[in-house]
Coordinates of all heavy atoms in Angstrom, one line a residue:
D1 N -3.9 -21.4 -0.7 CA -2.5 -21.8 -0.5 C -1.6 -21.3 -1.6 O -0.4 -21.0 -1.3 CB -2.4 -23.4 -0.5 CG -3.1 -24.0 0.8 OD1 -3.2 -23.2 1.8 OD2 -3.5 -25.1 0.7
H2 N -2.1 -21.1 -2.8 CA -1.2 -20.7 -3.9 C -1.4 -19.1 -4.0 O -2.4 -18.6 -4.4 CB -1.6 -21.3 -5.2 CG -1.3 -22.8 -5.3 ND1 0.0 -23.2 -5.7 CD2 -2.0 -23.9 -4.9 CE1 0.0 -24.6 -5.6 NE2 -1.2 -25.0 -5.1
V3 N -0.3 -18.4 -3.7 CA -0.3 -17.0 -3.6 C 0.8 -16.4 -4.5 O 2.0 -16.8 -4.2 CB -0.2 -16.5 -2.2 CG1 -0.1 -14.9 -2.1 CG2 -1.4 -17.0 -1.3
F4 N 0.5 -15.6 -5.4 CA 1.5 -14.9 -6.2 C 2.0 -13.7 -5.3 O 1.1 -12.9 -4.9 CB 1.0 -14.4 -7.5 CG 2.1 -13.9 -8.4 CD1 3.0 -14.8 -9.0 CD2 2.2 -12.6 -8.7 CE1 4.0 -14.3 -9.8 CE2 3.2 -12.1 -9.5 CZ 4.2 -13.0 -10.1
P5 N 3.3 -13.5 -5.1 CA 3.7 -12.6 -4.1 C 3.6 -11.1 -4.4 O 3.8 -10.2 -3.5 CB 5.2 -12.9 -4.0 CG 5.4 -14.3 -4.4 CD 4.4 -14.4 -5.5
L6 N 3.2 -10.7 -5.6 CA 3.0 -9.3 -6.0 C 1.6 -9.2 -6.6 O 1.0 -10.1 -7.2 CB 4.0 -8.9 -7.1 CG 5.5 -8.8 -6.6 CD1 6.4 -8.6 -7.8 CD2 5.7 -7.7 -5.6
Q7 N 1.0 -8.0 -6.4 CA -0.3 -7.7 -7.0 C -0.2 -6.2 -7.4 O 0.7 -5.4 -7.1 CB -1.4 -7.9 -6.1 CG -1.6 -7.0 -4.9 CD -2.7 -7.5 -4.0 OE1 -2.5 -8.5 -3.3 NE2 -3.8 -6.8 -3.9
V8 N -1.3 -5.8 -8.2 CA -1.3 -4.4 -8.8 C -2.7 -3.8 -8.5 O -3.7 -4.4 -8.5 CB -1.1 -4.5 -10.3 CG1 -1.3 -3.2 -11.0 CG2 0.3 -5.1 -10.6
A9 N -2.6 -2.5 -8.1 CA -3.8 -1.7 -8.0 C -3.7 -0.5 -8.9 O -2.7 0.2 -9.0 CB -4.0 -1.2 -6.6
V10 N -4.8 -0.2 -9.7 CA -4.8 0.9 -10.6 C -5.9 1.9 -10.2 O -7.0 1.5 -10.0 CB -5.2 0.4 -12.1 CG1 -5.0 1.6 -13.0 CG2 -4.3 -0.8 -12.5
L11 N -5.4 3.1 -9.9 CA -6.4 4.2 -9.5 C -7.1 4.7 -10.8 O -6.5 5.1 -11.7 CB -5.6 5.3 -8.9 CG -6.5 6.5 -8.3 CD1 -7.4 6.0 -7.3 CD2 -5.6 7.6 -7.8
L12 N -8.5 4.6 -10.7 CA -9.3 5.0 -11.8 C -9.9 6.3 -11.7 O -10.6 6.8 -12.7 CB -10.4 3.9 -12.0 CG -10.0 2.5 -12.1 CD1 -11.2 1.5 -12.2 CD2 -9.1 2.3 -13.3
S13 N -9.7 7.0 -10.6 CA -10.3 8.4 -10.3 C -9.2 9.3 -10.1 O -8.0 8.9 -9.8 CB -11.2 8.3 -9.1 OG -12.2 7.3 -9.2
E14 N -9.4 10.6 -10.3 CA -8.4 11.7 -10.2 C -8.4 12.3 -8.9 O -9.4 12.9 -8.5 CB -8.6 12.7 -11.3 CG -7.5 13.8 -11.4 CD -6.1 13.2 -11.7 OE1 -6.0 12.5 -12.7 OE2 -5.2 13.4 -10.9
P15 N -7.3 12.2 -8.1 CA -7.3 12.9 -6.8 C -7.5 14.4 -7.0 O -7.0 15.0 -8.0 CB -5.9 12.6 -6.3 CG -5.5 11.3 -7.0 CD -6.1 11.4 -8.4
S16 N -8.1 15.0 -6.0 CA -8.4 16.5 -5.9 C -9.5 16.9 -6.9 O -10.2 17.9 -6.6 CB -7.1 17.3 -6.3 OG -6.1 17.1 -5.3
E17 N -9.8 16.1 -7.9 CA -10.9 16.4 -8.8 C -12.1 15.5 -8.5 O -13.2 16.0 -8.3 CB -10.5 16.3 -10.3 CG -9.4 17.2 -10.8 CD -9.1 17.1 -12.2 OE1 -9.8 16.3 -12.9 OE2 -8.1 17.6 -12.7
D18 N -11.9 14.2 -8.5 CA -12.9 13.3 -8.2 C -13.1 13.0 -6.7 O -14.2 12.6 -6.3 CB -12.7 12.0 -8.9 CG -12.7 12.1 -10.4 OD1 -13.4 13.0 -11.0 OD2 -11.9 11.4 -11.1
F19 N -12.0 13.1 -5.9 CA -12.1 12.8 -4.5 C -10.9 13.5 -3.8 O -10.0 13.9 -4.4 CB -12.1 11.3 -4.3 CG -10.7 10.7 -4.6 CD1 -9.8 10.5 -3.6 CD2 -10.4 10.3 -5.9 CE1 -8.5 9.9 -3.9 CE2 -9.2 9.7 -6.2 CZ -8.3 9.5 -5.2
T20 N -11.1 13.6 -2.5 CA -10.0 14.0 -1.6 C -9.8 13.0 -0.5 O -10.8 12.3 -0.2 CB -10.2 15.4 -1.0 OG1 -11.4 15.4 -0.2 CG2 -10.3 16.5 -2.1
G21 N -8.6 12.9 0.1 CA -8.3 11.9 1.0 C -8.1 10.6 0.3 O -7.6 10.6 -0.9
G22 N -8.4 9.4 0.9 CA -8.3 8.2 0.2 C -6.9 7.8 -0.4 O -6.8 7.3 -1.5
E23 N -5.9 8.0 0.4 CA -4.5 7.6 -0.1 C -4.3 6.1 0.0 O -4.9 5.4 1.0 CB -3.5 8.3 0.8 CG -3.5 9.8 0.7 CD -4.3 10.5 1.7 OE1 -5.1 9.8 2.4 OE2 -4.3 11.7 1.8
F24 N -3.6 5.6 -0.9 CA -3.2 4.2 -0.8 C -2.0 4.1 0.2 O -1.0 4.8 0.1 CB -2.7 3.7 -2.2 CG -2.3 2.2 -2.2 CD1 -3.3 1.2 -2.5 CD2 -1.0 1.8 -1.9 CE1 -3.0 -0.1 -2.5 CE2 -0.7 0.4 -1.9 CZ -1.7 -0.5 -2.2
V25 N -2.2 3.2 1.2 CA -1.2 3.2 2.3 C -0.7 1.7 2.5 O -1.4 0.8 2.2 CB -1.8 3.7 3.6 CG1 -2.1 5.2 3.5 CG2 -3.0 2.9 4.1
M26 N 0.5 1.6 3.0 CA 1.1 0.3 3.3 C 1.8 0.4 4.6 O 2.3 1.5 5.0 CB 2.1 -0.2 2.2 CG 1.4 -0.4 0.8 SD 2.6 -1.1 -0.3 CE 2.9 -2.7 0.4
T27 N 1.9 -0.8 5.3 CA 2.8 -0.9 6.5 C 3.7 -2.0 6.3 O 3.4 -3.0 5.6 CB 2.0 -1.1 7.7 OG1 1.2 -2.3 7.7 CG2 1.0 0.1 8.0
E28 N 4.9 -1.9 6.9 CA 5.9 -3.0 6.9 C 6.4 -3.2 8.3 O 6.8 -2.3 9.0 CB 7.1 -2.5 6.0 CG 8.2 -3.5 5.9 CD 9.3 -3.0 5.0 OE1 10.2 -2.4 5.5 OE2 9.2 -3.3 3.8
Q29 N 6.3 -4.5 8.7 CA 6.7 -4.9 10.1 C 8.0 -5.7 10.0 O 8.0 -6.8 9.4 CB 5.6 -5.7 10.7 CG 6.0 -6.2 12.1 CD 6.2 -5.0 13.1 OE1 5.3 -4.2 13.3 NE2 7.4 -4.9 13.6
R30 N 9.1 -5.1 10.5 CA 10.3 -5.8 10.5 C 10.5 -6.4 11.9 O 10.0 -5.9 12.9 CB 11.5 -4.8 10.2 CG 11.3 -4.2 8.9 CD 12.6 -3.4 8.5 NE 12.4 -2.7 7.2 CZ 13.4 -2.2 6.5 NH1 14.6 -2.2 7.0 NH2 13.2 -1.6 5.4
P31 N 11.2 -7.6 12.0 CA 11.4 -8.2 13.3 C 12.0 -7.3 14.3 O 13.0 -6.6 14.1 CB 12.3 -9.4 13.0 CG 12.1 -9.7 11.5 CD 11.9 -8.3 10.9
R32 N 11.4 -7.2 15.5 CA 11.9 -6.5 16.7 C 12.1 -5.0 16.4 O 12.9 -4.3 17.0 CB 13.3 -7.1 17.1 CG 13.2 -8.5 17.6 CD 14.6 -9.1 17.9 NE 15.5 -9.1 16.8 CZ 15.4 -10.0 15.8 NH1 14.6 -11.0 15.9 NH2 16.3 -9.9 14.8
M33 N 11.2 -4.5 15.4 CA 11.2 -3.1 15.1 C 9.8 -2.6 15.1 O 8.9 -3.4 14.9 CB 11.9 -2.8 13.8 CG 13.4 -3.1 13.8 SD 14.2 -2.9 12.1 CE 14.0 -1.1 12.0
Q34 N 9.6 -1.3 15.2 CA 8.2 -0.7 15.1 C 7.8 -0.7 13.6 O 8.6 -0.8 12.7 CB 8.2 0.7 15.7 CG 8.4 0.7 17.2 CD 8.2 2.1 17.8 OE1 8.4 3.1 17.1 NE2 7.8 2.1 19.0
T35 N 6.5 -0.7 13.4 CA 5.9 -0.8 12.1 C 6.2 0.5 11.3 O 6.1 1.6 11.8 CB 4.4 -1.0 12.1 OG1 4.1 -2.2 12.8 CG2 3.8 -1.0 10.8
R36 N 6.6 0.3 10.0 CA 6.9 1.5 9.1 C 5.7 1.8 8.2 O 5.3 0.9 7.5 CB 8.2 1.1 8.3 CG 8.6 2.2 7.3 CD 9.9 2.0 6.7 NE 9.8 0.9 5.6 CZ 10.1 1.2 4.3 NH1 10.3 2.4 3.9 NH2 10.0 0.2 3.5
P37 N 5.2 3.0 8.3 CA 4.1 3.4 7.4 C 4.6 3.9 6.1 O 5.6 4.6 6.1 CB 3.3 4.4 8.2 CG 4.4 5.1 9.0 CD 5.5 4.0 9.3
M38 N 3.8 3.7 5.0 CA 4.2 4.3 3.7 C 2.9 4.7 3.0 O 1.9 4.1 3.1 CB 4.8 3.2 2.9 CG 6.2 2.7 3.4 SD 6.8 1.2 2.5 CE 5.8 -0.1 3.2
V39 N 3.0 5.9 2.4 CA 1.9 6.4 1.6 C 2.3 6.4 0.1 O 3.4 7.0 -0.2 CB 1.4 7.8 2.0 CG1 0.4 8.4 1.1 CG2 0.9 7.8 3.5

């Protein structure tokens, strides 16, 4: 029930060197609108 509204993620590996792909993605759903994707 107790939720802090913000959180943090720290990337510990180097893109293109340690891995490829694996993007952090988010979506946002606004009322009566299609979902907005974010990378």
Side-chain angles (χ1 to χ4, degrees):
D1 292 335
H2 291 271
V3 176
F4 190 72
L6 293 169
Q7 69 187 72
V8 173
V10 186
L11 184 60
L12 305 178
S13 306
E14 184 62 54
S16 299
E17 294 182 12
D18 298 326
F19 69 94
T20 60
E23 296 91 351
F24 184 91
V25 298
M26 297 186 66
T27 61
E28 181 179 88
Q29 181 60 59
R30 301 188 181 194
R32 298 175 299 280
M33 297 176 67
Q34 293 185 335
T35 300
R36 180 170 75 113
M38 297 170 281
V39 177

